Amino acid sequence: MTAIRQSNVNVDLVEALRVREGFRLADVDTRATPGYGKDKAKAAEDLVVGAHEFDELQERLYAQSREDHSKPSVLLVLQAMDTAGKGGIVRHVIGATDPQGIHLKAFKKPTKDELAHDFLWRIEKNVPHPGYIGVFDRSHYEDVLIGRVRELAPPEEIERRYGAINDFERRITDEGTSIVKVMLHISPAEQKERLMQRLERPEKYWKYNPGDIDERLLWPQYMDAYQTVFDRTSTDVAPWYVVPAGRKWYARLAVQHLLLATLERLDPQWPPATFDVEAEKKRLAAT
Amino acid sequence: MTAIRQSNVNVDLVEALRVREGFRLADVDTRATPGYGKDKAKAAEDLVVGAHEFDELQERLYAQSREDHSKPSVLLVLQAMDTAGKGGIVRHVIGATDPQGIHLKAFKKPTKDELAHDFLWRIEKNVPHPGYIGVFDRSHYEDVLIGRVRELAPPEEIERRYGAINDFERRITDEGTSIVKVMLHISPAEQKERLMQRLERPEKYWKYNPGDIDERLLWPQYMDAYQTVFDRTSTDVAPWYVVPAGRKWYARLAVQHLLLATLERLDPQWPPATFDVEAEKKRLAAT
């Protein structure tokens, strides 16, 4: 007797954000709200409704893998220029569910040890286990983004990586991890405003790094590198979604719906008892 | 110009729960609400107020350690009999803040690799880094609880562990980790009711394990083992708090206030800029 859950997923939104052949990053309006005609106040309400569904689906996903390790996991990959709002997504979207089922990993500048291995080595170690929702705050894509822009590896190595990424993502998908790849997209003007806020508010100083401006000066090169990422790695098994993030409330709602769409497709079920329920009731009653 | 934050901490509650010399676990009423005279509805409101303060203090704690690794961390140790509500604490108290600043570790039955090392080996690896709030769902205390009750080690080894734990906790406290040790306390009758609920609701089957009854049958032995833990390891640097958990709403509020009291004592501050703010504003404006 399974209750039929009503889906809250905005399918138009999910479809509108998907990177398909011919996609041009330069054509994206960072203040747009594709697939969503309502305003900020309504979006806040919708986010709460979605949070409840997200929470239940996450618990089911986790529960069904406890005994059966062939059950799936989900991996959210977050990429963005500085200040685009990755942290807010983790806090407000992922933060709405039980921390016990989340595997969150922020990838920083690689350590010496990490650099001594293939670029996917540290990634592989953080692929979520069955039942978990993994969140990558930055990811293997850094190795073809800053890696490319800053020439941190020879061109032929950068070139090799796109194929290696596709092979890797296909493999972990085959092993049961559904990947949701999101780029949060803002404009240089929006970044300037947000960086300035960090410089104007002492409680934000810690989020500011002078190196942010050095990266900012390479904006066109980064956009080229992102376009190449989309051209080369938006596959059927692991498509990219570009989320306009000029309006934070839209970006949060959009990422939530991308996750909900994935979870609904997986349709996780409460697992059956692995014991004799009536016999256990009697045992318990006798204590 | 630092705004003076108003403390929301219920000091009476914190004091009432602290294990001091002469404490007797057998005397604790698991349905009591020490230091809190209000009801469930009011507690829900107070939990929301506390969550906002917890969230800000957590962010400050995290922020101040980004550049300065001599800054403190917090470690919440959760111990309890099955069904006492550890999971609910993680979800409803810890879940109220940014997952990025939380290091959550659930300690299960030790692996072969873990058993080949001293019992503190796997614990040590999970001591929270500066700025983090660590949460242990079960802990090194299992090694003197189930370890003692089930005789998983010789008596002299169990005996050795109390001192080893005190030494360990003093050392990590000296290194900057404030430890909050909590036992959630329920009665055998309350456990029976909660286990029965798991057997009556198919969406709860996954939380039930026939082994839970085997442990339940050893309740008096476990209470003795807990009493010994309190007698031997409730120290000035790392005291225990026994939280009546027959009413979940009280237990959540109580653990939140224990954490708030610790965080307020640490009084984390937004860190100063590590760069020339005015120069950076000019650099940014010029981009």
Side-chain angles (χ1 to χ4, degrees):
Chain A
M1 198 181 66
T2 308
I4 293 167
R5 248 188 347 268
Q6 206 194 323
S7 167
N8 295 301
V9 173
N10 181 333
V11 181
D12 291 345
L13 180 155
V14 171
E15 279 308 302
L17 300 179
R18 183 165 173 162
V19 169
R20 296 186 186 279
E21 198 158 337
F23 170 86
R24 298 268 313 140
L25 182 60
D27 296 341
V28 175
D29 174 0
T30 61
R31 303 265 305 160
T33 61
Y36 194 74
K38 295 181 269 180
D39 65 4
K40 182 175 176 175
K42 201 71 184 63
E45 290 173 27
D46 285 345
L47 195 71
V48 172
V49 172
H52 284 110
E53 192 187 352
F54 180 57
D55 196 31
E56 184 183 333
L57 287 169
Q58 181 275 323
E59 191 177 358
R60 286 174 179 253
L61 182 82
Y62 185 80
Q64 71 172 7
S65 71
R66 289 310 84 199
E67 297 279 340
D68 181 352
H69 298 310
S70 71
K71 295 295 184 187
S73 63
V74 171
L75 173 60
L76 174 65
V77 172
L78 291 173
Q79 285 290 157
M81 298 298 282
D82 282 326
T83 76
K86 287 189 281 84
I89 296 289
V90 172
R91 197 170 184 125
H92 298 283
V93 179
I94 302 299
T97 193
D98 191 346
Q100 290 160 105
I102 301 298
H103 177 79
L104 174 62
K105 176 67 185 175
F107 289 99
K108 313 279 185 190
K109 197 176 156 189
T111 63
K112 242 180 168 174
D113 193 30
E114 288 168 350
L115 285 173
H117 293 83
D118 180 68
F119 77 107
L120 290 171
W121 180 74
R122 65 177 187 161
I123 306 298
E124 182 93 46
K125 291 198 290 185
N126 285 286
V127 173
H129 292 184
Y132 281 79
I133 297 176
V135 180
F136 285 178
D137 175 354
R138 305 186 187 274
S139 68
H140 42 302
Y141 285 99
E142 290 295 318
D143 297 282
V144 288
L145 289 165
I146 192 171
R148 186 185 180 100
V149 171
R150 292 283 185 182
E151 300 179 359
L152 303 178
E156 61 275 16
E157 165 61 12
I158 300 289
E159 199 56 29
R160 180 191 74 84
R161 289 177 181 171
Y162 299 103
I165 287 173
N166 288 337
D167 290 348
F168 166 73
E169 292 183 352
R170 171 171 294 278
R171 174 165 57 79
I172 69 169
T173 303
D174 287 347
E175 287 166 354
T177 300
S178 288
I179 311 173
V180 181
K181 301 190 292 197
V182 169
M183 183 226 187
L184 300 175
H185 189 37
I186 54 170
S187 70
E190 282 155 355
Q191 190 194 50
K192 188 172 191 169
E193 196 180 313
R194 294 180 187 185
L195 285 173
M196 200 56 92
Q197 281 172 8
R198 292 184 180 179
L199 288 169
E200 277 160 359
R201 296 168 60 184
E203 75 272 24
K204 299 276 183 195
Y205 286 166
W206 68 281
K207 293 188 172 188
Y208 183 87
N209 183 328
D212 296 347
I213 294 188
D214 302 324
E215 295 307 296
R216 174 175 168 74
L217 293 170
L218 297 167
W219 196 279
Q221 291 90 320
Y222 273 105
M223 294 305 110
D224 283 351
Y226 270 108
Q227 180 67 48
T228 304
V229 160
F230 301 140
D231 293 343
R232 303 284 295 273
T233 68
S234 198
T235 59
D236 285 343
V237 295
W240 274 99
Y241 296 89
V242 171
V243 173
R247 300 177 201 264
K248 288 181 181 177
W249 57 265
Y250 173 79
R252 289 169 191 174
L253 191 74
V255 175
Q256 184 189 66
H257 279 251
L258 294 174
L259 287 168
L260 286 177
T262 300
L263 285 163
E264 284 191 5
R265 187 172 47 70
L266 294 174
D267 193 23
Q269 301 295 323
W270 299 115
T274 53
F275 46 82
D276 180 335
V277 175
E278 294 311 315
E280 289 299 318
K281 281 186 189 168
K282 278 182 201 142
R283 270 185 84 206
L284 178 60
T287 62
Chain B
M1 197 180 68
T2 306
I4 293 168
R5 248 190 344 272
Q6 204 193 322
S7 168
N8 295 299
V9 172
N10 181 332
V11 180
D12 291 344
L13 181 155
V14 171
E15 278 308 301
L17 300 178
R18 183 164 173 164
V19 170
R20 298 189 185 275
E21 199 157 336
F23 171 85
R24 297 270 312 142
L25 181 59
D27 296 340
V28 175
D29 174 0
T30 60
R31 303 267 303 160
T33 61
Y36 193 74
K38 295 182 269 178
D39 66 3
K40 182 174 175 176
K42 201 71 184 62
E45 290 172 27
D46 284 346
L47 195 70
V48 172
V49 172
H52 284 111
E53 191 186 352
F54 181 56
D55 196 33
E56 183 182 334
L57 287 168
Q58 180 275 323
E59 190 175 358
R60 286 174 180 254
L61 184 80
Y62 185 81
Q64 73 174 7
S65 71
R66 290 309 84 199
E67 299 279 340
D68 182 351
H69 298 310
S70 73
K71 294 297 184 186
S73 62
V74 171
L75 173 59
L76 174 65
V77 172
L78 290 173
Q79 284 291 156
M81 298 297 282
D82 282 326
T83 76
K86 287 191 280 82
I89 296 290
V90 173
R91 197 171 184 125
H92 298 284
V93 179
I94 303 300
T97 192
D98 192 345
Q100 291 160 105
I102 302 298
H103 176 78
L104 174 63
K105 175 67 184 174
F107 289 98
K108 314 280 186 189
K109 199 178 154 188
T111 63
K112 243 180 166 172
D113 194 28
E114 286 168 353
L115 285 172
H117 293 83
D118 181 67
F119 77 106
L120 290 171
W121 180 72
R122 64 177 187 162
I123 306 298
E124 181 93 48
K125 292 197 292 186
N126 285 287
V127 173
H129 293 184
Y132 281 80
I133 297 177
V135 181
F136 286 178
D137 175 352
R138 306 184 185 278
S139 68
H140 43 303
Y141 285 99
E142 289 296 319
D143 297 283
V144 289
L145 290 165
I146 191 170
R148 184 184 181 100
V149 172
R150 292 282 186 184
E151 300 179 358
L152 302 179
E156 62 274 18
E157 164 61 11
I158 300 289
E159 201 51 32
R160 180 191 72 84
R161 288 178 183 171
Y162 299 103
I165 286 172
N166 288 338
D167 290 347
F168 166 72
E169 292 182 351
R170 171 170 296 278
R171 173 165 54 80
I172 69 170
T173 303
D174 287 347
E175 286 166 354
T177 299
S178 288
I179 311 174
V180 182
K181 302 190 292 198
V182 170
M183 183 225 188
L184 301 176
H185 189 36
I186 54 170
S187 71
E190 282 155 355
Q191 189 193 50
K192 188 172 192 169
E193 195 180 314
R194 293 179 188 185
L195 285 173
M196 200 57 91
Q197 281 171 8
R198 292 184 180 179
L199 288 169
E200 277 160 1
R201 295 167 61 183
E203 75 272 24
K204 300 275 184 195
Y205 288 165
W206 69 280
K207 293 189 172 185
Y208 182 87
N209 184 327
D212 295 347
I213 294 189
D214 303 325
E215 295 307 297
R216 172 174 170 72
L217 293 171
L218 298 167
W219 196 280
Q221 291 89 321
Y222 274 104
M223 293 308 107
D224 284 351
Y226 271 108
Q227 180 66 51
T228 306
V229 160
F230 301 140
D231 292 344
R232 304 284 295 273
T233 67
S234 199
T235 58
D236 284 344
V237 294
W240 273 99
Y241 296 89
V242 171
V243 174
R247 302 178 200 263
K248 289 182 180 175
W249 58 264
Y250 174 77
R252 289 169 190 172
L253 191 74
V255 176
Q256 184 188 67
H257 279 251
L258 293 174
L259 287 168
L260 287 177
T262 300
L263 285 163
E264 284 191 5
R265 188 174 44 74
L266 294 174
D267 193 22
Q269 300 296 323
W270 298 117
T274 54
F275 45 84
D276 180 334
V277 175
E278 295 310 315
E280 289 299 318
K281 282 186 189 168
K282 277 183 201 141
R283 267 186 84 207
L284 178 60
T287 63

